Amino acid sequence: MLSIRSFPKIDAHIHFNADRGDLLALAGEYDFSVLTINTEVPEFPPIEQQRQLALKYGPSSVTALWHAATVSTEEVFEKKWADQAISSITKKMSEGACGIKFWKNIGMSIQRPDGSFLMPDDAELVPVFEFLEEQHIPVLGHQGEPKNCWLPVEEMTVKSDRDYFSRHPRYHMYKQPDYPDYRDHIESRDHLLERHPELRFVGLHLASLEWSLDEVARRLDTFPNLAVDLAERFSHLYYHAARDHEQVVRFFREYQDRIIYGTDIIDDPDQDAEAILRELKDRWEMHWKFLATDQQLRSSQIEEPFNGLALPQPVLEKIYRSNALRWYRL
């Protein structure tokens, strides 16, 4: 019988933001390597500090620590920005970065002086995406949010979304009608992929299409250089499994070469390391039960029980390891 330690795995979506090795030690115990994704999140350490942490621990850790870099959008409306971004990307890739991350601030918070929002397919970003396409550099994209973000709280499908947007109403787009709509984010990202058909693109968080596996499948069928990761969207998969278990199994089997495992755990330097490790262990073990076993499971995220997918070992090894190695060229 397979166990979570049966073969080497990669958690291909973490945020290694603390100058400590606890998370890497735990990863070694579970036979995980990890990929930390530098991100322009205001609450995170500055992106240069995130980069330095990845470079400090990456070469010296017994557990492999890879990293994806990002670029600052602080001067994105200046004429010099694209050239500076390309120079920064070139340097960071030469240091061992496996790709470049673009965050949801593109579309959700960066505004021009006239109030219009910068979107992923806008002209300011075209030279950078052309360069990434030409150089075959993987792009990690987090565009938009779960569709729940644009719904009333009482209509949201999972507890984590209801809790988060209740506590953070300024991020609840249902209450921000002057901001881009959910469809605007998805259509802009899709237009970017249409414009750059050779761009190697990983749509993080199930490409923000977590509400419909049919919609994820449609994008995967349309864009052959698109993959998706599972980070912070397992609750939505539980929701789907409780309603149509076979559809979820079919999705994983059909797109087994295009799905990458990740948790989105944040090693926050301001939080207790032990609490973070407990949360990470809980996620790894629950996700394994869901993907690898046929157990009946429960989650605080939804009311109904659901069954695990019982995926065969060759599929699990792709999702947990070989897809990340191939798509990110680790």
Side-chain angles (χ1 to χ4, degrees), residues 55-95:
L55 294 176
K56 174 181 177 180
Y57 283 88
S60 61
S61 173
V62 174
T63 299
L65 171 66
W66 294 289
H67 76 283
T70 191
V71 292
S72 172
T73 57
E74 187 174 351
E75 298 180 331
V76 69
F77 299 123
E78 301 291 331
K79 290 184 178 179
K80 62 184 179 181
W81 179 82
D83 288 340
Q84 291 177 338
I86 289 169
S87 176
S88 174
I89 290 167
T90 301
K91 179 178 186 294
K92 290 171 179 177
M93 294 302 295
S94 73
E95 294 173 338

mmCIF file of all heavy atoms in Angstrom, residues 55-95:
data_model
loop_
_atom_site.group_PDB
_atom_site.id
_atom_site.type_symbol
_atom_site.label_atom_id
_atom_site.label_comp_id
_atom_site.label_asym_id
_atom_site.label_seq_id
_atom_site.Cartn_x
_atom_site.Cartn_y
_atom_site.Cartn_z
ATOM 1 N N LEU A 55 18.471 32.103 -2.348
ATOM 2 C CA LEU A 55 19.865 31.870 -2.734
ATOM 3 C C LEU A 55 20.691 31.371 -1.552
ATOM 4 O O LEU A 55 21.610 30.561 -1.721
ATOM 5 C CB LEU A 55 20.467 33.162 -3.296
ATOM 6 C CG LEU A 55 19.869 33.660 -4.611
ATOM 7 C CD1 LEU A 55 20.487 35.004 -4.998
ATOM 8 C CD2 LEU A 55 20.064 32.644 -5.723
ATOM 9 N N LYS A 56 20.361 31.841 -0.357
ATOM 10 C CA LYS A 56 21.115 31.425 0.838
ATOM 11 C C LYS A 56 20.885 29.957 1.154
ATOM 12 O O LYS A 56 21.830 29.206 1.425
ATOM 13 C CB LYS A 56 20.704 32.293 2.032
ATOM 14 C CG LYS A 56 21.321 31.841 3.359
ATOM 15 C CD LYS A 56 20.848 32.722 4.508
ATOM 16 C CE LYS A 56 21.401 32.223 5.845
ATOM 17 N NZ LYS A 56 20.947 33.089 6.984
ATOM 18 N N TYR A 57 19.615 29.514 1.144
ATOM 19 C CA TYR A 57 19.304 28.153 1.580
ATOM 20 C C TYR A 57 19.325 27.144 0.434
ATOM 21 O O TYR A 57 19.534 25.954 0.670
ATOM 22 C CB TYR A 57 17.938 28.127 2.262
ATOM 23 C CG TYR A 57 17.968 28.671 3.666
ATOM 24 C CD1 TYR A 57 17.790 30.026 3.915
ATOM 25 C CD2 TYR A 57 18.196 27.832 4.752
ATOM 26 C CE1 TYR A 57 17.817 30.534 5.208
ATOM 27 C CE2 TYR A 57 18.228 28.327 6.051
ATOM 28 C CZ TYR A 57 18.041 29.677 6.268
ATOM 29 O OH TYR A 57 18.081 30.173 7.550
ATOM 30 N N GLY A 58 19.097 27.599 -0.789
ATOM 31 C CA GLY A 58 19.004 26.670 -1.906
ATOM 32 C C GLY A 58 20.201 25.760 -2.078
ATOM 33 O O GLY A 58 20.068 24.531 -2.094
ATOM 34 N N PRO A 59 21.408 26.326 -2.167
ATOM 35 C CA PRO A 59 22.572 25.457 -2.408
ATOM 36 C C PRO A 59 22.997 24.627 -1.200
ATOM 37 O O PRO A 59 23.626 23.575 -1.361
ATOM 38 C CB PRO A 59 23.681 26.463 -2.770
ATOM 39 C CG PRO A 59 22.985 27.749 -3.047
ATOM 40 C CD PRO A 59 21.751 27.734 -2.217
ATOM 41 N N SER A 60 22.663 25.083 0.009
ATOM 42 C CA SER A 60 23.230 24.449 1.202
ATOM 43 C C SER A 60 22.310 23.425 1.850
ATOM 44 O O SER A 60 22.732 22.648 2.703
ATOM 45 C CB SER A 60 23.585 25.525 2.240
ATOM 46 O OG SER A 60 22.423 26.240 2.617
ATOM 47 N N SER A 61 21.039 23.411 1.456
ATOM 48 C CA SER A 61 20.078 22.548 2.132
ATOM 49 C C SER A 61 20.157 21.116 1.613
ATOM 50 O O SER A 61 20.315 20.881 0.411
ATOM 51 C CB SER A 61 18.661 23.090 1.923
ATOM 52 O OG SER A 61 17.708 22.196 2.427
ATOM 53 N N VAL A 62 20.049 20.159 2.530
ATOM 54 C CA VAL A 62 19.964 18.755 2.128
ATOM 55 C C VAL A 62 18.690 18.534 1.309
ATOM 56 O O VAL A 62 18.673 17.781 0.333
ATOM 57 C CB VAL A 62 19.985 17.838 3.363
ATOM 58 C CG1 VAL A 62 19.760 16.385 2.970
ATOM 59 C CG2 VAL A 62 21.303 17.996 4.109
ATOM 60 N N THR A 63 17.622 19.210 1.716
ATOM 61 C CA THR A 63 16.376 19.196 0.948
ATOM 62 C C THR A 63 16.478 20.215 -0.178
ATOM 63 O O THR A 63 16.804 21.377 0.069
ATOM 64 C CB THR A 63 15.188 19.568 1.863
ATOM 65 O OG1 THR A 63 15.090 18.614 2.903
ATOM 66 C CG2 THR A 63 13.888 19.620 1.076
ATOM 67 N N ALA A 64 16.202 19.809 -1.409
ATOM 68 C CA ALA A 64 16.305 20.737 -2.535
ATOM 69 C C ALA A 64 15.322 21.888 -2.368
ATOM 70 O O ALA A 64 14.133 21.675 -2.122
ATOM 71 C CB ALA A 64 16.046 19.997 -3.840
ATOM 72 N N LEU A 65 15.832 23.111 -2.473
ATOM 73 C CA LEU A 65 15.009 24.318 -2.453
ATOM 74 C C LEU A 65 15.248 25.061 -3.756
ATOM 75 O O LEU A 65 16.306 25.645 -3.962
ATOM 76 C CB LEU A 65 15.373 25.213 -1.263
ATOM 77 C CG LEU A 65 14.732 26.614 -1.258
ATOM 78 C CD1 LEU A 65 13.215 26.509 -1.096
ATOM 79 C CD2 LEU A 65 15.335 27.485 -0.160
ATOM 80 N N TRP A 66 14.257 24.991 -4.662
ATOM 81 C CA TRP A 66 14.307 25.766 -5.891
ATOM 82 C C TRP A 66 13.552 27.074 -5.681
ATOM 83 O O TRP A 66 12.816 27.239 -4.694
ATOM 84 C CB TRP A 66 13.668 24.985 -7.028
ATOM 85 C CG TRP A 66 14.410 23.745 -7.427
ATOM 86 C CD1 TRP A 66 15.614 23.666 -8.087
ATOM 87 C CD2 TRP A 66 14.016 22.389 -7.207
ATOM 88 N NE1 TRP A 66 15.978 22.367 -8.292
ATOM 89 C CE2 TRP A 66 15.015 21.554 -7.763
ATOM 90 C CE3 TRP A 66 12.907 21.779 -6.598
ATOM 91 C CZ2 TRP A 66 14.949 20.165 -7.735
ATOM 92 C CZ3 TRP A 66 12.831 20.394 -6.560
ATOM 93 C CH2 TRP A 66 13.835 19.606 -7.125
ATOM 94 N N HIS A 67 13.718 28.001 -6.633
ATOM 95 C CA HIS A 67 12.963 29.241 -6.500
ATOM 96 C C HIS A 67 12.553 29.791 -7.856
ATOM 97 O O HIS A 67 13.239 29.598 -8.864
ATOM 98 C CB HIS A 67 13.748 30.303 -5.715
ATOM 99 C CG HIS A 67 14.857 30.964 -6.477
ATOM 100 N ND1 HIS A 67 16.078 30.365 -6.706
ATOM 101 C CD2 HIS A 67 14.936 32.203 -7.060
ATOM 102 C CE1 HIS A 67 16.863 31.182 -7.390
ATOM 103 N NE2 HIS A 67 16.199 32.301 -7.623
ATOM 104 N N ALA A 68 11.393 30.442 -7.856
ATOM 105 C CA ALA A 68 10.940 31.252 -8.985
ATOM 106 C C ALA A 68 11.070 32.707 -8.571
ATOM 107 O O ALA A 68 10.759 33.076 -7.437
ATOM 108 C CB ALA A 68 9.493 30.925 -9.336
ATOM 109 N N ALA A 69 11.530 33.531 -9.489
ATOM 110 C CA ALA A 69 11.761 34.943 -9.209
ATOM 111 C C ALA A 69 10.556 35.773 -9.642
ATOM 112 O O ALA A 69 9.596 35.260 -10.230
ATOM 113 C CB ALA A 69 13.020 35.414 -9.928
ATOM 114 N N THR A 70 10.621 37.067 -9.350
ATOM 115 C CA THR A 70 9.604 37.993 -9.830
ATOM 116 C C THR A 70 10.280 39.314 -10.143
ATOM 117 O O THR A 70 11.484 39.477 -9.930
ATOM 118 C CB THR A 70 8.476 38.171 -8.798
ATOM 119 O OG1 THR A 70 7.387 38.883 -9.401
ATOM 120 C CG2 THR A 70 8.934 38.931 -7.558
ATOM 121 N N VAL A 71 9.525 40.259 -10.688
ATOM 122 C CA VAL A 71 10.053 41.579 -10.995
ATOM 123 C C VAL A 71 9.151 42.623 -10.356
ATOM 124 O O VAL A 71 7.940 42.425 -10.235
ATOM 125 C CB VAL A 71 10.169 41.825 -12.514
ATOM 126 C CG1 VAL A 71 11.238 40.937 -13.118
ATOM 127 C CG2 VAL A 71 8.839 41.595 -13.214
ATOM 128 N N SER A 72 9.743 43.731 -9.973
ATOM 129 C CA SER A 72 8.983 44.822 -9.383
ATOM 130 C C SER A 72 8.157 45.529 -10.448
ATOM 131 O O SER A 72 8.629 45.766 -11.563
ATOM 132 C CB SER A 72 9.929 45.823 -8.719
ATOM 133 O OG SER A 72 9.217 46.984 -8.309
ATOM 134 N N THR A 73 6.926 45.874 -10.106
ATOM 135 C CA THR A 73 6.073 46.657 -11.004
ATOM 136 C C THR A 73 5.990 48.112 -10.560
ATOM 137 O O THR A 73 5.145 48.866 -11.050
ATOM 138 C CB THR A 73 4.652 46.067 -11.039
ATOM 139 O OG1 THR A 73 4.132 46.027 -9.694
ATOM 140 C CG2 THR A 73 4.650 44.669 -11.626
ATOM 141 N N GLU A 74 6.886 48.503 -9.685
ATOM 142 C CA GLU A 74 6.792 49.838 -9.081
ATOM 143 C C GLU A 74 6.803 50.946 -10.134
ATOM 144 O O GLU A 74 6.091 51.944 -9.993
ATOM 145 C CB GLU A 74 7.947 50.047 -8.099
ATOM 146 C CG GLU A 74 7.846 51.333 -7.310
ATOM 147 C CD GLU A 74 8.918 51.456 -6.254
ATOM 148 O OE1 GLU A 74 9.645 50.474 -6.014
ATOM 149 O OE2 GLU A 74 9.036 52.540 -5.659
ATOM 150 N N GLU A 75 7.597 50.808 -11.207
ATOM 151 C CA GLU A 75 7.692 51.849 -12.236
ATOM 152 C C GLU A 75 7.151 51.345 -13.577
ATOM 153 O O GLU A 75 7.643 51.711 -14.634
ATOM 154 C CB GLU A 75 9.149 52.303 -12.380
ATOM 155 C CG GLU A 75 9.707 52.921 -11.107
ATOM 156 C CD GLU A 75 11.158 53.359 -11.257
ATOM 157 O OE1 GLU A 75 11.888 52.735 -12.066
ATOM 158 O OE2 GLU A 75 11.552 54.324 -10.580
ATOM 159 N N VAL A 76 6.120 50.521 -13.511
ATOM 160 C CA VAL A 76 5.645 49.840 -14.717
ATOM 161 C C VAL A 76 5.153 50.803 -15.794
ATOM 162 O O VAL A 76 5.171 50.464 -16.987
ATOM 163 C CB VAL A 76 4.545 48.814 -14.346
ATOM 164 C CG1 VAL A 76 3.275 49.507 -13.885
ATOM 165 C CG2 VAL A 76 4.276 47.861 -15.500
ATOM 166 N N PHE A 77 4.754 52.012 -15.417
ATOM 167 C CA PHE A 77 4.263 52.962 -16.415
ATOM 168 C C PHE A 77 5.357 53.885 -16.948
ATOM 169 O O PHE A 77 5.075 54.778 -17.759
ATOM 170 C CB PHE A 77 3.102 53.777 -15.846
ATOM 171 C CG PHE A 77 1.917 52.931 -15.454
ATOM 172 C CD1 PHE A 77 1.411 52.962 -14.163
ATOM 173 C CD2 PHE A 77 1.318 52.087 -16.377
ATOM 174 C CE1 PHE A 77 0.337 52.174 -13.800
ATOM 175 C CE2 PHE A 77 0.231 51.290 -16.024
ATOM 176 C CZ PHE A 77 -0.256 51.334 -14.735
ATOM 177 N N GLU A 78 6.596 53.662 -16.503
ATOM 178 C CA GLU A 78 7.731 54.409 -17.041
ATOM 179 C C GLU A 78 8.244 53.708 -18.304
ATOM 180 O O GLU A 78 8.236 52.475 -18.399
ATOM 181 C CB GLU A 78 8.854 54.486 -16.006
ATOM 182 C CG GLU A 78 8.457 55.154 -14.696
ATOM 183 C CD GLU A 78 8.217 56.640 -14.852
ATOM 184 O OE1 GLU A 78 8.843 57.248 -15.743
ATOM 185 O OE2 GLU A 78 7.402 57.187 -14.087
ATOM 186 N N LYS A 79 8.728 54.495 -19.275
ATOM 187 C CA LYS A 79 9.197 53.919 -20.540
ATOM 188 C C LYS A 79 10.343 52.942 -20.341
ATOM 189 O O LYS A 79 10.496 51.986 -21.098
ATOM 190 C CB LYS A 79 9.612 55.038 -21.496
ATOM 191 C CG LYS A 79 8.446 55.857 -22.024
ATOM 192 C CD LYS A 79 8.913 56.889 -23.039
ATOM 193 C CE LYS A 79 7.738 57.676 -23.596
ATOM 194 N NZ LYS A 79 8.189 58.710 -24.577
ATOM 195 N N LYS A 80 11.150 53.173 -19.324
ATOM 196 C CA LYS A 80 12.337 52.347 -19.092
ATOM 197 C C LYS A 80 11.999 51.019 -18.416
ATOM 198 O O LYS A 80 12.856 50.137 -18.322
ATOM 199 C CB LYS A 80 13.332 53.104 -18.202
ATOM 200 C CG LYS A 80 12.762 53.434 -16.823
ATOM 201 C CD LYS A 80 13.709 54.254 -15.983
ATOM 202 C CE LYS A 80 13.096 54.590 -14.627
ATOM 203 N NZ LYS A 80 13.997 55.405 -13.792
ATOM 204 N N TRP A 81 10.758 50.847 -17.951
ATOM 205 C CA TRP A 81 10.449 49.691 -17.104
ATOM 206 C C TRP A 81 10.687 48.364 -17.809
ATOM 207 O O TRP A 81 11.289 47.448 -17.246
ATOM 208 C CB TRP A 81 8.998 49.741 -16.610
ATOM 209 C CG TRP A 81 8.671 48.541 -15.766
ATOM 210 C CD1 TRP A 81 8.951 48.363 -14.442
ATOM 211 C CD2 TRP A 81 8.055 47.322 -16.219
ATOM 212 N NE1 TRP A 81 8.548 47.119 -14.026
ATOM 213 C CE2 TRP A 81 7.996 46.452 -15.084
ATOM 214 C CE3 TRP A 81 7.554 46.888 -17.434
ATOM 215 C CZ2 TRP A 81 7.440 45.173 -15.170
ATOM 216 C CZ3 TRP A 81 7.008 45.620 -17.512
ATOM 217 C CH2 TRP A 81 6.956 44.771 -16.397
ATOM 218 N N ALA A 82 10.231 48.212 -19.028
ATOM 219 C CA ALA A 82 10.336 46.914 -19.716
ATOM 220 C C ALA A 82 11.794 46.495 -19.847
ATOM 221 O O ALA A 82 12.136 45.334 -19.588
ATOM 222 C CB ALA A 82 9.656 46.973 -21.074
ATOM 223 N N ASP A 83 12.660 47.422 -20.261
ATOM 224 C CA ASP A 83 14.081 47.080 -20.394
ATOM 225 C C ASP A 83 14.679 46.702 -19.049
ATOM 226 O O ASP A 83 15.474 45.750 -18.954
ATOM 227 C CB ASP A 83 14.856 48.257 -20.991
ATOM 228 C CG ASP A 83 14.566 48.471 -22.467
ATOM 229 O OD1 ASP A 83 14.087 47.515 -23.116
ATOM 230 O OD2 ASP A 83 14.809 49.588 -22.967
ATOM 231 N N GLN A 84 14.305 47.418 -18.005
ATOM 232 C CA GLN A 84 14.817 47.101 -16.671
ATOM 233 C C GLN A 84 14.306 45.741 -16.209
ATOM 234 O O GLN A 84 15.053 44.962 -15.604
ATOM 235 C CB GLN A 84 14.406 48.193 -15.678
ATOM 236 C CG GLN A 84 15.105 49.520 -15.902
ATOM 237 C CD GLN A 84 14.624 50.591 -14.937
ATOM 238 O OE1 GLN A 84 13.530 50.501 -14.373
ATOM 239 N NE2 GLN A 84 15.428 51.628 -14.754
ATOM 240 N N ALA A 85 13.038 45.443 -16.494
ATOM 241 C CA ALA A 85 12.474 44.153 -16.095
ATOM 242 C C ALA A 85 13.178 43.017 -16.814
ATOM 243 O O ALA A 85 13.501 41.981 -16.207
ATOM 244 C CB ALA A 85 10.974 44.137 -16.384
ATOM 245 N N ILE A 86 13.443 43.184 -18.111
ATOM 246 C CA ILE A 86 14.126 42.140 -18.882
ATOM 247 C C ILE A 86 15.537 41.924 -18.347
ATOM 248 O O ILE A 86 16.005 40.779 -18.224
ATOM 249 C CB ILE A 86 14.128 42.506 -20.374
ATOM 250 C CG1 ILE A 86 12.705 42.375 -20.937
ATOM 251 C CG2 ILE A 86 15.112 41.634 -21.153
ATOM 252 C CD1 ILE A 86 12.535 42.959 -22.318
ATOM 253 N N SER A 87 16.232 43.010 -18.015
ATOM 254 C CA SER A 87 17.573 42.888 -17.434
ATOM 255 C C SER A 87 17.523 42.143 -16.108
ATOM 256 O O SER A 87 18.365 41.273 -15.826
ATOM 257 C CB SER A 87 18.178 44.276 -17.249
ATOM 258 O OG SER A 87 19.432 44.196 -16.619
ATOM 259 N N SER A 88 16.534 42.468 -15.280
ATOM 260 C CA SER A 88 16.382 41.803 -13.981
ATOM 261 C C SER A 88 16.076 40.319 -14.167
ATOM 262 O O SER A 88 16.633 39.458 -13.467
ATOM 263 C CB SER A 88 15.259 42.472 -13.190
ATOM 264 O OG SER A 88 14.985 41.780 -11.993
ATOM 265 N N ILE A 89 15.201 39.994 -15.105
ATOM 266 C CA ILE A 89 14.857 38.590 -15.369
ATOM 267 C C ILE A 89 16.096 37.822 -15.819
ATOM 268 O O ILE A 89 16.355 36.699 -15.353
ATOM 269 C CB ILE A 89 13.743 38.508 -16.423
ATOM 270 C CG1 ILE A 89 12.419 39.010 -15.837
ATOM 271 C CG2 ILE A 89 13.583 37.074 -16.944
ATOM 272 C CD1 ILE A 89 11.340 39.260 -16.875
ATOM 273 N N THR A 90 16.871 38.415 -16.708
ATOM 274 C CA THR A 90 18.078 37.757 -17.210
ATOM 275 C C THR A 90 19.032 37.435 -16.068
ATOM 276 O O THR A 90 19.579 36.326 -15.988
ATOM 277 C CB THR A 90 18.765 38.657 -18.249
ATOM 278 O OG1 THR A 90 17.862 38.913 -19.329
ATOM 279 C CG2 THR A 90 20.025 37.995 -18.791
ATOM 280 N N LYS A 91 19.239 38.395 -15.178
ATOM 281 C CA LYS A 91 20.131 38.189 -14.031
ATOM 282 C C LYS A 91 19.607 37.097 -13.116
ATOM 283 O O LYS A 91 20.350 36.199 -12.699
ATOM 284 C CB LYS A 91 20.281 39.501 -13.253
ATOM 285 C CG LYS A 91 21.173 39.409 -12.015
ATOM 286 C CD LYS A 91 21.292 40.768 -11.349
ATOM 287 C CE LYS A 91 22.305 40.732 -10.197
ATOM 288 N NZ LYS A 91 21.846 39.871 -9.092
ATOM 289 N N LYS A 92 18.326 37.125 -12.816
ATOM 290 C CA LYS A 92 17.758 36.171 -11.876
ATOM 291 C C LYS A 92 17.739 34.758 -12.449
ATOM 292 O O LYS A 92 17.959 33.784 -11.727
ATOM 293 C CB LYS A 92 16.358 36.629 -11.455
ATOM 294 C CG LYS A 92 16.405 37.870 -10.573
ATOM 295 C CD LYS A 92 15.040 38.466 -10.317
ATOM 296 C CE LYS A 92 15.155 39.697 -9.415
ATOM 297 N NZ LYS A 92 13.852 40.357 -9.186
ATOM 298 N N MET A 93 17.500 34.632 -13.737
ATOM 299 C CA MET A 93 17.552 33.301 -14.349
ATOM 300 C C MET A 93 18.974 32.753 -14.317
ATOM 301 O O MET A 93 19.188 31.556 -14.113
ATOM 302 C CB MET A 93 17.015 33.348 -15.778
ATOM 303 C CG MET A 93 15.529 33.688 -15.894
ATOM 304 S SD MET A 93 14.423 32.556 -15.006
ATOM 305 C CE MET A 93 14.693 31.038 -15.921
ATOM 306 N N SER A 94 19.966 33.632 -14.483
ATOM 307 C CA SER A 94 21.359 33.181 -14.443
ATOM 308 C C SER A 94 21.756 32.723 -13.046
ATOM 309 O O SER A 94 22.705 31.949 -12.889
ATOM 310 C CB SER A 94 22.291 34.305 -14.903
ATOM 311 O OG SER A 94 22.401 35.335 -13.928
ATOM 312 N N GLU A 95 21.029 33.182 -12.028
ATOM 313 C CA GLU A 95 21.303 32.782 -10.648
ATOM 314 C C GLU A 95 20.627 31.458 -10.288
ATOM 315 O O GLU A 95 20.808 30.956 -9.185
ATOM 316 C CB GLU A 95 20.805 33.857 -9.681
ATOM 317 C CG GLU A 95 21.546 35.170 -9.774
ATOM 318 C CD GLU A 95 20.907 36.249 -8.923
ATOM 319 O OE1 GLU A 95 19.701 36.140 -8.598
ATOM 320 O OE2 GLU A 95 21.610 37.217 -8.578
#
